[in-house]
Amino acid sequence: MSPQLYEFHLPISPEELLKSGRVNQYVVQEILSIKHLPSQLRAFQAAFRAQGSLAMLEHFDTVYSILHHFRSIDPGLQEDTLEFLIKVVSRHSQELPAILDDAALSVSDRSAHLNALKMNCYALIRLLESFETMSSQTSLRDLDLGKGKKARAKTAHGFDWEEERQPILQLLTQLLQLDIRHLWNHSIIEEEFVSLVTGCCYRLLENPTISHQKNRPTREAITRLLGVALTRYNHMLSASVKIIQMLQHFEHLASVLVAAVSLWATDYGMKSIVGEIVREIGQKCPQELSRDPVGTKGFAAFLTELAERIPAILMSSMCILLDYLDGENYMMRNAVLAAMAEMVLQVLNGDQLEEAARDTRDQFLDTLQAHGHDVNSFVRSRVLQLFTRIVQQKALPLTRFQAVVALAVGRLADKSVLVCKNAIQLLASFLANNPFSCKLSDTDLAGPLKKETQKLQEMRAQRQAAAVSTVLDPEEEWEAMLPELKSTLQQLLKLPQEEEEIPEAIANTETAEGVKTRIRQLLAKASYKQVIVLTQEAIGHFQESEPFSHMDPEVSEETRFLNLLETIFKGPVASTQENTQGPAGNTGLKQPDCKDKPCVSEPMKSRDNDELVKQEMLVQYLQDAYSFSLKITEAIGIISKMMYENTTTVVQEVIEFFVMVFQFGVPQALFGVRRMLPLIWSKEPGVREAVLNAYRQLYLNPKGDSARAKAQALIQNLSSLLVDASVGTIQCLEEILCEFVQKDELKPAVTQVLWERATQKVPCSPLERCSSVMLLGMMARGKPEIVGSNLDTLVNIGLDEKFPQDYRLAQQVCHAIANLSDRRKPSLSKRHPPFRLPQEHRLFERLREVITRGFVHPDPLWIPFKEVAVTLIYQLAEGPDVICAQILQGCAKQALENLGEKSTTQEGPNVALQQLVHLEQAVSGELCRRRVLQEEQEQKTKDPKEKNTSSETTMEEEMGLAGATADDTEAELIRGICEKELLDGKQVLAAFVPLLLKVCNNPGLYSNPELSAAASLALGKFCMISATFCDSQLRLLFTMLEKSSLPIVRSNLMIATGDLAIRFPNLVDPWTPHLYARLRDPAQQVRRTAGLVMTHLILKDMVKVKGQVSEMAVLLIDPVPQITALAKNFFNELSHKGNAIYNLLPDIISRLSDPEGGVEEEPFHIIMKQLLSYITKDKQTESLVEKLCQRFRTARTERQYRDLAYCVSQLPLTERGLRKMLDNFDCFGDKLSDESIFGDFLSVVGKLRRGAKPEGKAIIDEFEQKLRVCHTRGLDAVEDLEVGQRGSQRAPSTKKPSTVSKRHQHLASAASSDGDFVTPKSCRTAHRHPNTQQRVFKKKPRIVFSSDESSEEELSAEMTEEETPKKTTPIRRAPLRRHRP
């Protein structure tokens, strides 16, 4: 066929080119074989060199054949074909401008160029798609293999398809930019050609790697090509539909398409495509989105990113998307809300907004705030994130600060961890970007606020008074002052006053008008005496001037005076009122004076208004700052409770929040900073590092001009933490400082300043000196040489010879020196000899003297010092027993002397017994240490012999056995010493036993609280020494624990018995109930101590966990927050120990709901809600449901029924759990008449419905129906309902029986009602015996199914008297109405 005679139609599929469909349509004549393709391609190339781009008209079959055999031909031929086709299309695009501009172009030439254009583009694009398909398959294959990807990406010739795509796309873009429409008839380009070119772009976009950074040039080329198609070839509608389809199917395309659409809308001026795409998204029905999560995710990501790029263009289409805010899909809600936030940030930001824009912004912010309470936690979390961005970019109007802060504070109590985390971040952003102050102390703000508010009230009062004075009627004012004025005038006329009372004489130059002004002013001030005297003077001075000249002699003098004063007072005001109505607005009597008055008063009035406005703004600012500070303070209280959450990220956010709050000077922040200290022991590395970073920020980088100033600031900040710090806080801070010292993060200047303060080279208070020694001791844990090199200095600081002694400082010196010992590293002590000082060292001399000297001088700080000092002696001294024996002898001698004087008869035994306790501990510790050293030395001497006599394996085994035997021998030796020698009559300790027992056995005789406390604690410690002594004194010990009237004694003994339970568990085990009993002690201190002791004993498995653990559960409702927190912590830890809580729950429930020894109903709910929250495994839940249902049979009271129902409602039930409840329905069915029990079971139904699958809803409906029927009509009605359901299931399978038989059946059932209608008891009995169940059910159908005319509901309503429930509850009549005609 001649090229001029045919027309090339773009095919939908390549096969269409093989068959003719219409007249003059081009058809491929022959598909060439693979072996002929190279030669035919060379022929095509030769023709191209001769004819140009029109050569394609005669050689299209060659290219078609190559495409047909593409996967089979040689890669070199593929690449040659691609390279050649690029040349062909490029040449054609260069020739076309001249051809298109040729007005004399013939129809045949135009047709030839059109066919060549379509053929060239078709061939190049199909070849591009073939390469793309092959490349995608290769990438997937390489991905599976995992290796050689880069090596296989390029062929041996260095061909890289990813680099070849861009030039092809640029060539097609260049071609489309020409005015090629003139090649078509009527200059209308066929849709197939545009679809051909754009379709390859969409095909390339489907490749998952297109979003990679290396493919950015390809993405940009695709975007430009599609942009030309949009602007020149009316491709917008098709592009919109295609974009929607691609978003639904390809997750990676959201960001790619956003970049393309934003470029088209801005650079290509195609803003309308944004509206088209949004309209297409808005028309998607919610059901379709719920079925297509991938598509929904794509739409959401597209809208979110599009709003970030072109929010102004998208804003005009927002109304289409608003319906998604009420839809079920949370991802679309998030996307719309994110778009609103971007518009607030980028478009609706600033103070210069127009009214309409401001209204839109407010609507968007209102929507965001409303969705802060969305039902979905992801939406709530997203809203908080968006507000965080808005606050960080300072785009939130000040008027909304309080509302959004309140929202964030409210979300802190959210159940979702993610929401809580983002709420904390939002509050931190508010702090960092608050417009109020860098210091937000509510106490500091309250003073200025009160002062400025009072000032504002005064200003308003003054202004109001001024306004009232101008508005008051002169007649009313005159009437008000007239009685007092008349009284004063009468007095003065009777008793004339001296002229000295005139405030100032009338000057010769003064006019009558000036005197009248003075009189008016005096009247306004109520200075009536001066008014009358001045008026008398004026009458004589101005006899010819008005109004003083008009004096009527016929009236009395009093009346004349009053008339004159009335004229003076009212006249000017009246004239003022008249004149103010005129255009001039004058206020005086004379025109010249009146001209000046408005000129003076108006600026003053304006200035007053400005000052009032400024004051109002100042007060509003202070009020906002104060309210913001109060909200932050409220948040601190909530966030501090979240510091020990299980989620690491939340804890890290809490720590960062408190760092920021502390930096803003909020006073309560110090509480949080201290509270985070124990987290330094966290097993989570992230939490521990967060604490260290927090203290680095807060304390290691203080402000200061020099290193010394910074060191002083650092020390001052750390010292503030030590004020009123507990032992635990000090230990945590010591760990942190140890970490800093080991990493050399503390500068030498810090150590230097601390020593200067400790030695008083710089002036400081005693407390500051003491804190410096404490800090030095903490640092010595990281580097012992800090203290070791200055040991004598420390002894001089704390143990000098002055009197009275500073025992607090001496105690801290002992703590600091104790860090020289490696007691905390027992593994080292086996390899290295412990650090010891000789007995003659000055340290021990001073300790002995200070202890002995302070013994007879009672000081509350002496006892803790003495304890630390004795511990230090046993840690560092060689032969500490000798030193302590000398101390003990000195103390005992002084005790006997003072006993004779009867001055400290009770203090001496107290101190002596305390001392003996610590002696026992130190002796035991020293024996253990010596045993370890002796074992190490023996091992060293044995090693060479063992090596010579045995093989290596045998040697290791024998050494292990020898070591174990040695341990047993040493342990037996220690036990023997404790049992037989320490309390033997020959030992010093034994001498104090009779005294100790006498004090403990006679609390009435020895009633001193301090003595009783010391004696009880000493008895406990003595029991620790010997099992024999412990066994003999346990009854006395537990009697004191239970019956002592002193809380301190009970608390001490609780600690002592806890220690005994660890040392002698078999002896203490029978007394365990007495330990649990202390958990209900009336004293807060004892309950807290008992809680701590029992927590340790139970978690360390030293006490058998029985049902008595319910006493620990009762602490969950303790009025003291610390005890409640302790109990929660106990159960949190217990929940990690396998099935411990699951195993204990039945007993706990029984004990707590026991009417005799349980708790009230509301506290029971609080306890069980906490405990049941630990049941998370499905198997545990199912088993518990079954056990609780069975408990309904054995429960005795209605309260127990309600408690059991509440427990069931708190379990996280699944469908299998529900089936367990259905299987055990008989156990609780007869209890459902109680509204509370019925409500609890209905709540179970509600929970199950929320996450129920469609197939599970049937069983939920069945359970709810049974609940409601049983609630209204009793358990028998449920049985009838079950039978009815079974009968209705069988009925369709059988033929309809005759009416006669049904009537007979009905009559038979009515006649035998007495026999067949059994009592509820009998029904339940039948259910409890499975063997008889079927026999009962055989009779039931005769009762229920009687005829076609009577329904199940009608029969069940006709109940005999004994069947009728005695409790009157309404019966639902809906089914009956449904059967009425």
Side-chain angles (χ1 to χ4, degrees):
M1 188 183 291
S2 174
Q4 285 78 17
L5 298 178
Y6 65 75
E7 182 180 353
F8 183 82
H9 289 278
L10 292 168
I12 296 174
S13 64
E15 290 77 14
E16 291 183 8
L17 289 172
L18 297 175
K19 52 188 177 182
S20 176
R22 64 179 79 175
V23 180
N24 295 334
Q25 178 180 340
Y26 178 83
V27 178
V28 175
Q29 300 299 318
E30 179 187 6
I31 298 177
L32 304 173
S33 63
I34 294 177
K35 64 180 180 179
H36 293 120
L37 289 178
S39 60
Q40 289 296 323
L41 180 62
R42 287 193 292 273
F44 185 12
Q45 291 171 340
F48 172 71
R49 286 192 291 271
Q51 301 175 20
S53 57
L54 292 180
M56 175 64 80
L57 299 175
E58 297 177 355
H59 293 273
F60 180 79
D61 288 8
T62 302
V63 179
Y64 184 88
S65 300
I66 291 173
L67 290 170
H68 182 78
H69 298 295
F70 186 80
R71 294 187 180 185
S72 305
I73 61 176
D74 183 68
L77 182 60
Q78 296 173 350
E79 295 159 17
D80 292 343
T81 305
L82 178 66
E83 185 180 354
F84 175 61
L85 281 179
I86 291 173
K87 287 182 181 178
V88 172
V89 176
S90 179
R91 171 78 68 84
H92 202 189
S93 67
Q94 293 169 4
E95 294 172 353
L96 275 176
I99 295 168
L100 293 170
D101 293 339
D102 186 3
L105 185 68
S106 64
V107 174
S108 59
D109 290 345
R110 181 179 61 79
S111 177
H113 280 287
L114 176 59
N115 284 333
L117 174 67
K118 292 197 283 188
M119 284 180 170
N120 289 336
C121 290
Y122 177 81
L124 180 62
I125 289 170
R126 286 288 174 256
L127 194 60
L128 179 149
E129 291 177 351
S130 298
F131 270 105
E132 181 66 19
T133 302
M134 186 175 67
S135 175
S136 299
Q137 292 173 349
T138 306
S139 298
L140 289 172
R141 192 164 55 249
D142 292 343
L143 203 61
D144 291 338
L145 296 174
K147 290 184 179 180
K149 181 178 176 182
K150 291 187 177 178
R152 281 191 291 270
K154 292 189 178 182
T155 64
H157 306 287
F159 179 82
D160 186 358
W161 170 240
E162 292 181 349
E163 294 177 0
E164 296 292 332
R165 291 182 302 199
Q166 184 189 0
I168 299 173
L169 294 168
Q170 289 175 339
L171 178 59
L172 291 172
T173 305
Q174 181 183 345
L175 191 63
L176 287 187
Q177 285 175 332
L178 301 175
D179 203 6
I180 58 176
R181 69 177 184 276
H182 294 304
L183 294 176
W184 278 268
N185 292 329
H186 309 295
S187 299
I188 300 174
I189 297 179
E190 59 186 293
E191 183 66 30
E192 289 82 359
F193 180 77
V194 179
S195 299
L196 172 72
V197 179
T198 56
C200 77
C201 297
Y202 299 128
R203 174 69 186 84
L204 290 174
L205 288 174
E206 292 174 8
N207 191 335
T209 63
I210 197 69
S211 59
H212 297 176
Q213 180 62 28
K214 64 180 180 180
N215 292 323
R216 182 178 177 182
T218 305
R219 293 198 304 270
E220 292 176 348
I222 292 171
T223 303
R224 285 192 292 270
L225 178 53
L226 290 174
V228 172
L230 285 166
T231 53
R232 299 174 66 90
Y233 299 100
N234 196 25
H235 182 61
M236 187 174 70
L237 185 60
S238 301
S240 302
V241 174
K242 190 65 179 177
I243 287 171
I244 294 297
Q245 292 173 351
M246 296 181 80
L247 285 172
Q248 281 182 287
H249 296 95
F250 303 100
E251 291 185 37
H252 68 279
L253 279 184
S255 57
V256 175
L257 292 176
V258 164
V261 171
S262 58
L263 186 71
W264 299 334
T266 52
D267 293 6
Y268 289 82
M270 297 296 294
K271 296 182 180 179
S272 54
I273 193 171
V274 177
E276 285 294 329
I277 295 171
V278 172
R279 193 174 296 108
E280 289 287 339
I281 294 175
Q283 289 173 355
K284 296 288 180 183
C285 67
Q287 291 79 11
E288 182 180 352
L289 291 178
S290 62
R291 290 193 300 268
D292 181 20
V294 175
T296 305
K297 187 177 179 181
F299 292 147
F302 177 81
L303 290 173
T304 302
E305 295 187 36
L306 193 66
E308 293 175 4
R309 292 204 179 218
I310 47 171
I313 299 173
L314 182 61
M315 191 163 73
S316 59
S317 304
M318 278 300 292
C319 56
I320 300 171
L321 301 172
L322 293 180
D323 287 343
Y324 282 118
L325 291 174
D326 299 324
E328 292 184 5
N329 195 285
Y330 78 89
M331 287 187 284
M332 292 303 293
R333 291 207 298 277
N334 274 347
V336 176
L337 293 170
M340 289 181 173
E342 289 299 332
M343 291 161 195
V344 169
L345 285 168
Q346 300 184 43
V347 182
L348 304 172
N349 193 4
D351 299 328
Q352 309 301 322
L353 291 177
E354 297 180 358
E355 189 66 30
R358 192 178 292 110
D359 290 343
T360 304
R361 179 197 66 190
D362 291 343
Q363 289 174 7
F364 285 174
L365 291 174
D366 286 340
T367 305
L368 282 169
Q369 283 181 235
H371 282 274
H373 303 280
D374 197 282
V375 294
N376 190 285
S377 62
F378 290 108
V379 179
R380 300 195 298 274
S381 177
R382 184 65 173 147
V383 166
L384 295 173
Q385 290 174 354
L386 295 172
F387 270 122
T388 300
R389 283 193 59 209
I390 292 171
V391 171
Q392 286 173 345
Q393 299 187 27
K394 297 181 171 57
L396 187 68
L398 287 178
T399 52
R400 290 187 176 264
F401 249 64
Q402 303 299 330
V404 180
V405 170
L407 172 67
V409 173
R411 289 299 93 204
L412 290 174
D414 201 286
K415 293 181 180 179
S416 167
V417 171
L418 190 62
V419 177
C420 293
K421 175 185 170 184
N422 285 296
I424 296 171
Q425 289 179 343
L426 176 55
L427 287 169
S429 298
F430 267 117
L431 269 174
N433 299 278
N434 83 85
F436 305 117
S437 172
C438 62
K439 296 296 179 185
L440 287 169
S441 169
D442 51 359
T443 52
D444 293 343
L445 289 169
L449 175 62
K450 184 177 180 181
K451 177 182 175 183
E452 298 300 332
T453 304
Q454 188 175 356
K455 183 178 178 182
L456 176 63
Q457 291 173 348
E458 291 174 357
M459 292 175 69
R460 284 175 174 168
Q462 290 175 1
R463 181 169 181 176
Q464 189 175 5
V468 169
S469 64
T470 56
V471 173
L472 275 178
D473 185 16
E475 188 69 32
E476 294 177 359
E477 283 189 83
W478 174 256
E479 292 295 332
M481 68 174 70
L482 186 59
E484 191 174 351
L485 179 62
K486 186 183 292 186
S487 173
T488 306
L489 179 61
Q490 290 172 353
Q491 291 179 7
L492 289 176
L493 290 176
K494 292 178 182 178
L495 301 169
Q497 301 293 313
E498 299 293 333
E499 292 187 0
E500 285 83 17
E501 290 198 39
I502 301 176
E504 85 184 74
I506 299 174
N508 294 329
T509 57
E510 192 170 5
T511 62
E513 197 62 40
V515 173
K516 286 197 294 183
T517 303
R518 283 172 61 190
I519 291 173
R520 281 199 298 272
Q521 292 174 350
L522 290 171
L523 283 171
K525 294 179 182 179
S527 302
Y528 299 131
K529 290 183 180 179
Q530 298 174 6
V531 165
I532 294 166
V533 174
L534 183 60
T535 305
Q536 287 177 335
E537 187 72 15
I539 291 172
H541 200 278
F542 301 106
Q543 294 182 355
E544 298 179 355
S545 300
E546 294 288 343
F548 302 102
S549 57
H550 290 283
M551 301 296 291
D552 191 351
E554 297 181 1
V555 297
S556 64
E557 186 177 4
E558 179 183 339
T559 306
R560 284 204 307 273
F561 258 99
L562 291 174
N563 291 338
L564 175 60
L565 290 174
E566 184 179 4
T567 303
I568 293 172
F569 182 78
K570 291 182 180 180
V573 180
S575 62
T576 300
Q577 291 176 345
E578 292 171 5
N579 292 333
T580 52
Q581 295 172 3
N586 299 328
T587 57
L589 292 174
K590 295 186 179 180
Q591 193 68 21
D593 295 336
C594 298
K595 287 179 182 178
D596 296 332
K597 286 192 178 183
C599 301
V600 176
S601 62
E602 286 302 326
M604 288 178 64
K605 189 182 296 183
S606 176
R607 188 165 60 251
D608 290 344
N609 286 339
D610 290 345
E611 290 178 358
L612 186 62
V613 170
K614 287 179 182 177
Q615 187 66 22
E616 287 175 342
M617 291 173 66
L618 174 60
V619 170
Q620 186 62 47
Y621 167 81
L622 290 172
Q623 182 63 55
D624 290 344
Y626 182 69
S627 301
F628 179 70
S629 174
L630 287 179
K631 279 292 179 186
I632 294 297
T633 304
E634 179 186 349
I636 288 173
I638 301 171
I639 294 174
S640 64
K641 297 175 184 176
M642 302 165 63
M643 198 171 285
Y644 292 89
E645 288 283 339
N646 295 328
T647 311
T648 302
T649 53
V650 173
V651 176
Q652 290 171 331
E653 290 294 338
V654 170
I655 291 171
E656 291 177 14
F657 174 79
F658 273 108
V659 170
M660 183 172 290
V661 172
F662 187 82
Q663 291 171 338
F664 275 88
V666 179
Q668 293 80 1
L670 185 60
F671 169 73
V673 172
R674 281 186 176 179
R675 189 175 167 84
M676 76 173 71
L677 274 169
L679 292 174
I680 193 64
W681 311 108
S682 174
K683 296 177 182 177
E684 290 287 342
V687 174
R688 176 182 168 84
E689 193 57 37
V691 175
L692 289 171
N693 286 333
Y695 276 81
R696 280 191 191 98
Q697 292 180 51
L698 294 176
Y699 295 106
L700 293 192
N701 299 304
K703 295 179 181 179
D705 300 331
S706 62
R708 183 177 179 82
K710 289 182 178 179
Q712 288 174 333
L714 186 150
I715 292 167
Q716 195 64 38
N717 291 337
L718 289 176
S719 298
S720 66
L721 278 177
L722 298 174
V723 177
D724 298 329
S726 64
V727 176
T729 300
I730 292 171
Q731 288 176 344
C732 298
L733 189 59
E734 184 177 4
E735 179 71 14
I736 291 174
L737 284 180
C738 178
E739 190 87 15
F740 290 159
V741 169
Q742 288 174 348
K743 294 180 179 178
D744 291 324
E745 295 184 51
L746 285 175
K747 306 298 181 187
V750 176
T751 309
Q752 182 182 348
V753 173
L754 284 173
W755 278 115
E756 289 176 359
R757 291 175 62 170
T759 55
Q760 290 188 314
K761 288 184 179 178
V762 294
C764 61
S765 67
L767 278 178
E768 289 175 337
R769 189 184 185 197
C770 188
S771 65
S772 299
V773 174
M774 287 178 71
L775 293 173
L776 283 170
M778 293 176 183
M779 293 164 63
R781 259 203 62 206
K783 286 186 179 179
E785 57 268 22
I786 292 176
V787 169
S789 58
N790 296 280
L791 183 57
D792 292 336
T793 307
L794 268 181
V795 173
N796 292 332
I797 290 172
L799 302 172
D800 52 5
E801 299 181 3
K802 69 177 183 180
F803 192 84
Q805 190 77 37
D806 186 351
Y807 292 114
R808 181 186 282 109
L809 182 61
Q811 180 185 352
Q812 297 308 324
V813 166
C814 291
H815 275 303
I817 297 174
N819 282 327
L820 290 173
S821 168
D822 55 0
R823 66 191 186 282
R824 293 186 180 145
K825 299 175 183 177
S827 58
L828 292 177
S829 64
K830 293 182 181 180
R831 296 195 294 271
H832 304 287
F835 176 76
R836 291 283 177 179
L837 294 173
Q839 290 183 12
E840 300 79 19
H841 196 278
R842 184 167 176 269
L843 168 65
F844 305 124
E845 292 178 7
R846 295 302 310 142
L847 285 174
R848 184 169 59 243
E849 184 178 342
V850 173
I851 292 173
T852 309
R853 187 172 59 188
F855 182 77
V856 292
H857 298 283
D859 189 317
L861 297 175
W862 179 83
I863 294 176
F865 156 70
K866 168 263 304 175
E867 295 172 355
V868 176
V870 172
T871 304
L872 178 62
I873 291 171
Y874 274 89
Q875 282 178 358
L876 292 181
E878 290 285 358
D881 48 349
V882 177
I883 301 172
C884 286
Q886 294 171 358
I887 295 174
L888 186 58
Q889 288 170 1
C891 292
K893 183 178 179 181
Q894 294 190 51
L896 291 172
E897 292 173 358
N898 291 326
L899 208 61
E901 297 173 7
K902 295 186 179 180
S903 57
T904 56
T905 52
Q906 293 175 346
E907 294 296 334
N910 177 11
V911 176
L913 294 175
Q914 289 266 5
Q915 178 67 25
L916 290 177
V917 171
H918 288 278
L919 275 175
E920 186 278 326
Q921 288 180 329
V923 167
S924 177
E926 181 64 17
L927 287 171
C928 292
R929 180 174 287 114
R930 290 182 179 182
R931 177 180 59 80
V932 172
L933 291 175
Q934 183 181 356
E935 182 182 333
E936 186 179 276
Q937 291 171 358
E938 290 175 357
Q939 194 65 44
K940 286 180 181 178
T941 60
K942 288 179 182 178
D943 280 350
K945 297 178 183 177
E946 293 289 344
K947 288 179 182 176
N948 294 331
T949 57
S950 305
S951 67
E952 190 173 355
T953 307
T954 309
M955 180 194 72
E956 288 178 359
E957 290 177 359
E958 290 184 2
M959 282 181 65
L961 290 171
T965 305
D967 285 343
D968 291 341
T969 304
E970 293 296 332
E972 193 61 38
L973 174 64
I974 295 297
R975 280 197 295 269
I977 292 172
C978 291
E979 284 290 336
K980 300 174 183 177
E981 297 184 20
L982 283 183
L983 293 179
D984 188 13
K986 300 175 183 178
Q987 299 297 326
V988 178
L989 294 177
F992 292 91
V993 172
L995 175 63
L996 177 62
L997 295 177
K998 185 175 182 180
V999 173
C1000 291
N1001 279 304
N1002 297 280
L1005 184 61
Y1006 302 100
S1007 58
N1008 182 282
E1010 294 179 357
L1011 177 61
S1012 299
S1016 61
L1017 193 55
L1019 178 61
K1021 295 299 180 180
F1022 267 83
C1023 288
M1024 290 284 290
I1025 298 173
S1026 164
T1028 307
F1029 183 80
C1030 176
D1031 192 23
S1032 64
Q1033 302 302 327
L1034 268 181
R1035 182 173 297 279
L1036 171 62
L1037 205 65
F1038 278 98
T1039 302
M1040 294 173 66
L1041 174 64
E1042 185 173 346
K1043 297 187 176 180
S1044 175
S1045 60
L1046 298 172
I1048 186 66
V1049 171
R1050 300 199 299 275
S1051 186
N1052 282 348
L1053 287 175
M1054 191 67 212
I1055 297 171
T1057 50
D1059 293 339
L1060 288 173
I1062 294 173
R1063 178 141 189 180
F1064 306 121
N1066 294 334
L1067 293 178
V1068 179
D1069 184 59
W1071 301 89
T1072 303
H1074 295 273
L1075 295 178
Y1076 279 111
R1078 289 306 94 213
L1079 294 169
R1080 292 212 184 195
D1081 196 281
Q1084 167 188 333
Q1085 174 188 358
V1086 181
R1087 288 201 308 277
R1088 185 171 182 274
T1089 305
L1092 280 168
V1093 170
M1094 296 309 297
T1095 295
H1096 286 292
L1097 292 179
I1098 294 172
L1099 295 180
K1100 291 180 180 178
D1101 297 322
M1102 300 309 300
V1103 167
K1104 292 180 182 178
V1105 185
K1106 303 175 183 176
Q1108 292 159 332
V1109 79
S1110 61
E1111 301 297 339
M1112 284 294 290
V1114 173
L1115 295 186
L1116 289 168
I1117 55 169
D1118 198 278
V1120 181
Q1122 291 85 351
I1123 298 177
T1124 305
L1126 174 67
K1128 283 184 180 178
N1129 183 60
F1130 165 74
F1131 284 107
N1132 284 339
E1133 294 297 325
L1134 191 62
S1135 66
H1136 298 149
K1137 293 174 73 68
N1139 298 329
I1141 292 184
Y1142 163 75
N1143 294 331
L1144 291 169
L1145 267 174
D1147 285 341
I1148 293 177
I1149 293 171
S1150 295
R1151 286 174 178 266
L1152 294 183
S1153 62
D1154 190 349
E1156 297 177 3
V1159 296
E1160 294 297 324
E1161 197 162 356
E1162 192 60 36
F1164 178 86
H1165 290 179
I1166 298 171
I1167 294 170
M1168 295 317 302
K1169 187 174 183 180
Q1170 178 72 29
L1171 295 183
L1172 291 169
S1173 67
Y1174 299 115
I1175 304 300
T1176 54
K1177 298 178 182 177
D1178 290 346
K1179 286 187 177 180
Q1180 291 182 350
T1181 304
E1182 293 162 21
S1183 178
L1184 263 181
V1185 165
E1186 190 168 16
K1187 288 181 180 179
L1188 291 173
C1189 290
Q1190 294 292 339
R1191 283 285 179 95
F1192 275 97
R1193 295 186 186 277
T1194 57
R1196 302 189 304 275
T1197 64
E1198 297 235 351
R1199 159 71 196 283
Q1200 289 176 324
Y1201 298 152
R1202 292 196 299 272
D1203 288 346
L1204 290 170
Y1206 178 81
C1207 292
V1208 172
S1209 71
Q1210 294 303 307
L1211 286 169
L1213 283 174
T1214 59
E1215 185 180 335
R1216 292 179 62 180
L1218 180 59
R1219 291 186 186 278
K1220 290 282 185 185
M1221 291 178 67
L1222 277 169
D1223 292 343
N1224 293 276
F1225 194 87
D1226 294 340
C1227 299
F1228 59 84
D1230 57 338
K1231 317 294 190 303
L1232 288 171
S1233 56
D1234 186 291
E1235 288 293 338
S1236 175
I1237 298 173
F1238 177 65
D1240 285 332
F1241 280 100
L1242 271 188
S1243 71
V1244 172
V1245 174
K1247 289 178 183 178
L1248 286 167
R1249 283 195 189 283
R1250 289 173 201 159
K1253 297 178 181 177
E1255 57 270 20
K1257 289 185 177 179
I1259 190 171
I1260 297 174
D1261 293 338
E1262 178 190 348
F1263 181 63
E1264 183 178 8
Q1265 187 180 12
K1266 290 181 74 173
L1267 286 177
R1268 294 189 181 280
V1269 169
C1270 200
H1271 175 60
T1272 54
R1273 288 179 281 173
L1275 190 60
D1276 288 338
V1278 175
E1279 295 175 357
D1280 293 348
L1281 179 66
E1282 289 175 349
V1283 175
Q1285 288 174 345
R1286 275 191 285 272
S1288 62
Q1289 289 170 3
R1290 289 195 299 268
S1293 63
T1294 59
K1295 294 289 183 181
K1296 182 179 178 183
S1298 65
T1299 308
V1300 177
S1301 62
K1302 288 191 174 184
R1303 292 290 183 189
H1304 175 74
Q1305 193 177 15
H1306 175 58
L1307 291 172
S1309 65
S1312 59
S1313 60
D1314 292 338
D1316 291 330
F1317 277 104
V1318 292
T1319 62
K1321 182 176 180 181
S1322 301
C1323 288
R1324 288 195 294 274
T1325 306
H1327 272 269
R1328 281 199 291 269
H1329 296 83
N1331 296 330
T1332 62
Q1333 194 170 3
Q1334 293 205 357
R1335 185 175 70 252
V1336 176
F1337 283 159
K1338 284 178 183 176
K1339 297 180 182 180
K1340 286 293 180 181
R1342 291 191 298 106
I1343 301 170
V1344 177
F1345 296 96
S1346 58
S1347 68
D1348 291 336
E1349 288 80 9
S1350 59
S1351 67
E1352 174 204 346
E1353 287 84 358
E1354 290 171 336
L1355 281 174
S1356 62
E1358 298 171 1
M1359 297 166 65
T1360 58
E1361 184 176 351
E1362 55 268 21
E1363 279 188 287
T1364 307
K1366 302 304 179 206
K1367 187 170 183 178
T1368 55
T1369 48
I1371 297 176
R1372 297 173 65 186
R1373 298 294 183 185
L1376 293 176
R1377 282 200 299 272
R1378 205 164 45 240
H1379 289 281
R1380 287 173 186 166

